[in-house]
């Protein structure tokens, strides 16, 4: 196990020098953001691709962020709700402890590819003069196709908001039971409705979110605490036979760990692959991180990416291992649901995660709302007029969806395969192929990127099919 964790760190750190930092080659001319728009208009575009509920990044854009601060912010942006679904992803393709070896290998391999494509985006920015992921895509692949990445980022934001809504519903519902609320008030539907109408809607109706930025630091601390608590419970043995939370009278049946079968990789592993994408993707933020660094250059960006991804990879693997070894085949889509409502450490973890998501949610929601406006090219005046109506409409859709969809792992895996694989693998690799086309000595790297395109496209199609079949109970 130590070897595998060390391997994950090695992959993250060694990849700092993988990306070809030369911005030249293969770029003869580029068109504007769309017909009738100039390159300068591109740079003045205010909507930055999906900000993933990371408000401190907004405050640090403008060349004032240090490598360490940005690296920690990157780790926070990556470590979202996907982190807590990974044990369930392992249990879906195997119920044996030996399944952790291929699961960790898959995660490390996906992280290596993801870091490579993440670091290639600033290279495309330098080569094209673009200021965002979608602008670079439009410049390299054609202005008329720029909407594809923008729309993909917006849909990814929609699924991120939905995943957060589901986690909030589960967390607050468990807390309601813990504190003895009546069954009618503690029901999941009642809690989801109350949280969305009573908290998320008012927060999302705020036009200035600057006052919420200080709460964002809570996110990283709660992740550290939650992972630490999971490791402690694993070694302390409270959920093992004879443990104080294993007793059926004290804990739900899902808290009883079960292990059996083979750890062999099979078709169901695609669900874990899709979850891994959602757990590692931050590519829509690459442009913001790059432009936000002090004395921006690629070497500092690579150092920042190594710090952020190394921390995120290690925390994700530890969470996956601790959760699966504690509950085995009983691991749920949101691993916190496995822990007893009578477990005080689990109650604290639920409360912390819920509060962190609660105050970060308006930023994800704002990115979704702005993305929709940007996609249909809504004017500034029209946005002001539509602000409240669109906010209420989107919140209503998310509320109903969060009540209907109870398995966050389904949302995470579907999002990862449907949009994440394109944004994380396929699109950056296609941009690299286009950028490197006329560059001498780039044949091997072009071949490598073609492999990434095939891999990303395959995951996109097969991942969606397997995820939907899983949800329908046909696999």
């Amino acid at each position: 196990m130590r070897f595998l964790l060390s391997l994950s760190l090695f992959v993250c750190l060694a990849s700092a020098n993988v990306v070809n930092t030369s911005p030249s080659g293969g770029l003869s001319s580029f068109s504007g953001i769309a017909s009738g728009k100039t390159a300068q208009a591109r740079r003045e575009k205010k909507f930055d691709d999906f900000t993933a509920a990371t408000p401190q990044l907004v405050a640090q854009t403008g060349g004032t962020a240090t490598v360490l601060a940005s690296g920690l912010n990157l780790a926070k942006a990556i470590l979202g709700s996907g982190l807590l679904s990974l044990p369930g992803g392992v249990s879906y393709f195997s119920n044996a402890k030996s399944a952790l070896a291929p699961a960790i290998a898959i995660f490390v391999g996906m992280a290596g590819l993801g870091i490579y494509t993440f670091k290639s985006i600033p290279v495309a920015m330098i080569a094209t003069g673009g200021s965002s992921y979608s602008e670079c895509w439009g410049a390299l692949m054609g202005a008329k196709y720029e909407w594809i990445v923008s729309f993909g980022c917006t849909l990814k934001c929609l699924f991120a908001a939905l995943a957060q809504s589901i986690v909030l519903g589960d967390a607050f519902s468990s807390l309601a039971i813990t504190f003895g609320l009546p069954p009618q008030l503690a029901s999941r539907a009642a809690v989801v409705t109350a949280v969305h109408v009573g908290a998320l809607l008012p927060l999302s109706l705020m036009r200035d979110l600057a006052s919420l930025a200080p709460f964002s630091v809570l996110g990283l601390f709660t992740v550290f605490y939650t992972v630490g608590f999971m490791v402690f419970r694993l070694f302390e043995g409270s959920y093992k036979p004879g443990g104080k939370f294993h007793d059926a009278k004290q804990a739900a049946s899902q808290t009883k760990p079960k292990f059996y079968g083979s750890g062999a990789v099979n078709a169901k592993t695609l669900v874990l692959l899709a979850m891994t994408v959602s757990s590692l993707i931050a590519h829509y933020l690459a442009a913001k991180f790059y432009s936000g660094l002090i004395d921006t250059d690629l070497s500092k960006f690579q150092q920042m990416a190594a710090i952020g991804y190394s921390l995120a990879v290690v925390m994700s693997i530890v969470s996956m291992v601790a959760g699966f070894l504690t509950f085995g085949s009983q691991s749920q889509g949101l691993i916190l649901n496995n822990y007893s409502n009578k477990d005080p450490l689990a109650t604290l973890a639920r409360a912390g995660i819920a509060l962190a998501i609660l105050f970060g949610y308006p930023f994800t929601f704002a990115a979704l709302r702005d993305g929709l406006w940007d996609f249909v090219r809504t004017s500034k005046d029209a946005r002001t007029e539509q602000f409240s109506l669109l906010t209420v409409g989107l919140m209503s859709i998310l509320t109903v969806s969060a009540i209907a969809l109870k398995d966050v792992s389904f949302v995470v895996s579907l999002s990862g395969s449907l949009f994440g694989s394109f944004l994380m693998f396929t699109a950056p690799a296609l941009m690299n192929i286009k950028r490197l086309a006329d560059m001498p000595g780039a044949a091997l790297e072009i071949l490598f990127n073609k492999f990434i395109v095939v891999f990303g496209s395959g995951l996109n199609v097969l991942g969606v099919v397997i995820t939907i079949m899983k949800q329908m109970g046909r696999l």
Side-chain angles (χ1 to χ4, degrees):
M1 186 63 67
R2 290 182 179 177
F3 168 75
L4 291 170
L5 290 176
S6 300
L7 178 61
S8 68
L9 276 171
F10 172 77
V11 170
C12 294
L13 295 172
S15 60
N17 295 317
V18 172
V19 179
N20 187 334
T21 57
S22 174
S24 61
L27 301 172
S28 56
S29 62
F30 301 98
S31 55
I33 189 171
S35 179
K37 292 188 177 183
T38 64
Q40 182 62 28
R42 283 174 171 277
R43 298 181 179 90
E44 293 174 352
K45 182 180 177 184
K46 291 186 177 180
F47 174 66
D48 295 299
D49 297 334
F50 179 30
T51 56
T54 313
Q56 64 267 52
L57 296 180
V58 177
Q60 292 184 353
T61 52
T64 61
T66 64
V67 170
L68 179 59
S70 291
L72 293 176
N73 283 340
L74 175 60
K76 177 191 174 296
I78 296 171
L79 293 169
S81 54
L83 169 83
L84 300 175
S85 68
L86 292 173
V90 178
S91 69
Y92 180 66
F93 84 84
S94 176
N95 299 311
K97 293 182 180 180
S98 58
L100 282 172
I104 293 174
I106 287 170
F107 197 91
V108 172
M110 295 280 281
L113 290 179
I115 295 168
Y116 169 76
T117 54
F118 179 79
K119 291 176 179 178
S120 70
I121 293 175
V123 179
M125 290 172 65
I126 295 173
T128 64
S131 60
S132 71
Y133 185 2
S134 59
E135 289 181 13
C136 294
W137 169 265
L140 285 163
M141 309 307 295
K144 63 181 180 180
Y145 300 117
E146 183 173 325
W147 67 271
I148 296 175
V149 166
S150 293
F151 190 56
C153 290
T154 301
L155 290 178
K156 189 72 175 68
C157 185
L158 172 64
F159 274 72
L162 178 56
Q164 291 174 4
S165 292
I166 295 173
V167 172
L168 284 172
D170 289 348
F172 278 112
S173 180
S174 294
L175 290 172
I177 295 172
T178 298
F179 291 105
L181 267 66
Q184 296 84 352
L185 297 179
S187 69
R188 190 176 179 280
V191 170
V192 169
T193 303
V195 169
H196 282 72
V197 175
L200 294 179
L201 180 58
L203 289 172
S204 298
L205 283 169
M206 295 173 61
R207 294 179 184 267
D208 184 3
L209 301 178
S211 61
L212 298 180
F215 293 98
S216 64
V217 70
L218 181 64
L220 199 55
F221 285 117
T222 55
V223 169
F224 286 148
Y225 168 78
T226 300
V227 174
F229 134 75
M230 292 170 63
V231 172
F232 174 75
R233 284 301 188 213
L234 169 64
F235 288 103
E236 183 251 358
S238 292
Y239 291 88
K240 294 179 180 179
K244 58 184 175 181
F245 296 121
H246 185 272
D247 190 337
K249 294 181 180 180
Q250 291 183 311
S253 60
Q254 64 265 23
T255 65
K256 296 181 178 181
K258 292 182 180 180
F259 298 96
Y260 56 89
S262 169
V265 174
N266 51 63
K268 295 180 180 180
T269 311
L270 286 168
V271 173
L272 178 63
L273 284 170
M275 288 181 177
T276 300
V277 171
S278 290
S279 300
L280 292 171
I281 188 169
H283 294 55
Y284 34 74
L285 290 171
K288 288 183 70 69
F289 277 110
Y290 177 67
S291 60
L293 287 170
I294 298 174
D295 300 324
T296 299
D297 63 58
L298 287 173
S299 62
K300 288 186 176 180
F301 180 84
Q302 291 172 351
Q303 294 172 23
M304 179 276 300
I307 292 172
Y309 266 98
S310 294
L311 182 57
V313 167
V314 170
M315 295 297 288
S316 297
I317 290 177
V318 172
S319 172
M320 179 170 63
V321 171
F324 183 74
L325 287 181
T326 302
F327 299 107
S329 65
Q330 301 286 61
S331 299
Q332 296 191 49
L334 178 63
I335 194 63
L336 287 180
N337 289 343
N338 282 98
Y339 292 90
S340 172
N341 290 326
K342 297 180 181 292
D343 186 343
L345 298 184
T347 297
L348 186 58
R350 292 186 183 104
I353 291 292
L355 289 176
I357 293 177
L358 192 68
F359 289 110
Y361 193 96
F363 294 92
T364 305
F365 188 89
L368 167 62
R369 183 175 52 213
D370 290 346
L372 290 174
W373 273 329
D374 199 67
F375 182 70
V376 298
R377 299 183 182 180
T378 304
S379 66
K380 183 177 180 180
D381 291 339
R383 295 185 185 204
T384 302
E385 294 175 359
Q386 299 170 6
F387 183 85
S388 297
L389 182 61
L390 182 59
T391 299
V392 173
L394 287 174
M395 190 63 69
S396 300
I397 294 172
L398 288 167
T399 303
V400 173
S401 299
I403 293 174
L405 297 172
K406 300 179 182 180
D407 185 2
V408 70
S409 66
F410 169 69
V411 176
V412 170
S413 59
L414 183 62
S415 173
S417 55
L418 195 58
F419 313 114
S421 61
F422 174 77
L423 296 173
M424 183 172 172
F425 297 128
T426 308
L430 287 172
M431 290 196 300
N432 286 340
I433 292 170
K434 189 73 171 181
R435 178 178 59 82
L436 296 167
D438 298 327
M439 186 179 294
L444 187 59
E445 188 170 1
I446 290 174
L447 182 62
F448 178 59
N449 278 277
K450 288 181 178 179
F451 161 75
I452 296 177
V453 170
V454 174
F455 175 75
S457 300
L459 180 58
N460 180 255
V461 176
L462 295 177
V464 170
V465 173
I466 295 296
T467 298
I468 293 176
M469 289 178 65
K470 169 184 176 290
Q471 189 67 12
M472 296 174 65
R474 297 185 178 181
L475 187 64

